[in-house]
């Protein structure tokens, strides 16, 4: 997914406008203060890597969740939930992998 596609999915899930912005100041701050985050940002911005989703779905049926479905499962649009809720697996409604 591209940055704008991800932003549209977040906007749809939270029922509010969301747009993608390439923030150079965030990248600079990450490079200076958060080297692990900077490595991820740099990889995403410069990588030519592509993922064959169709092939992965065939190889691992039932394990690839569409991004919008993930946002619904994590109740991204629930304005009462906090980041702490989203980071606590006990508060999420994921199906157990063993169910597949």
């Amino acid at each position: 997914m591209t940055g704008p596609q991800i932003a549209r999915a977040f906007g749809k899930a939270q029922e509010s406008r969301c747009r993608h912005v390439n923030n150079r100041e965030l990248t600079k701050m990450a490079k200076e203060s958060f080297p692990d985050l900077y490595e991820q940002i740099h990889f995403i911005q410069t990588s030519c890597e592509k993922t064959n989703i169709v092939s992965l779905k065939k190889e691992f049926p039932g394990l690839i969740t569409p991004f919008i479905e993930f946002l619904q499962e994590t109740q991204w649009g629930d304005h009462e939930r906090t980041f702490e809720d989203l980071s606590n697996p006990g508060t999420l409604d994921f199906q157990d992998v063993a169910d597949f």
Side-chain angles (χ1 to χ4, degrees):
M1 294 179 74
T2 65
Q5 289 171 324
I6 293 169
R8 280 193 298 276
F10 275 115
K12 183 176 180 179
Q14 63 195 22
E15 298 178 344
S16 65
R17 186 170 179 263
C18 183
R19 67 185 181 101
H20 172 260
V21 175
N22 189 1
N23 190 326
R24 292 183 183 178
E25 289 300 314
L26 174 64
T27 303
K28 182 180 176 184
M29 180 199 60
K31 185 175 186 176
E32 294 170 358
S33 303
F34 304 100
D36 292 339
L37 175 60
Y38 174 75
E39 282 184 40
Q40 293 176 13
I41 292 170
H42 183 72
F43 174 79
I44 290 168
Q45 290 177 339
T46 60
S47 175
C48 295
E49 296 288 326
K50 300 290 181 197
T51 302
N52 186 332
I53 300 296
V54 173
S55 176
L56 287 174
K57 285 181 177 181
K58 287 179 183 175
E59 187 173 350
F60 304 102
L63 294 181
I64 306 295
T65 301
F67 187 58
I68 191 69
E69 191 175 310
F70 165 79
L71 293 175
Q72 292 166 346
E73 287 179 359
T74 57
Q75 300 170 358
W76 188 264
D78 184 347
H79 299 285
E80 301 296 317
R81 293 177 67 86
T82 65
F83 178 76
E84 287 76 20
D85 293 330
L86 294 172
S87 64
N88 180 352
T91 66
L92 302 177
D93 296 329
F94 290 121
Q95 281 187 304
D96 188 355
V97 173
D99 291 344
F100 290 104

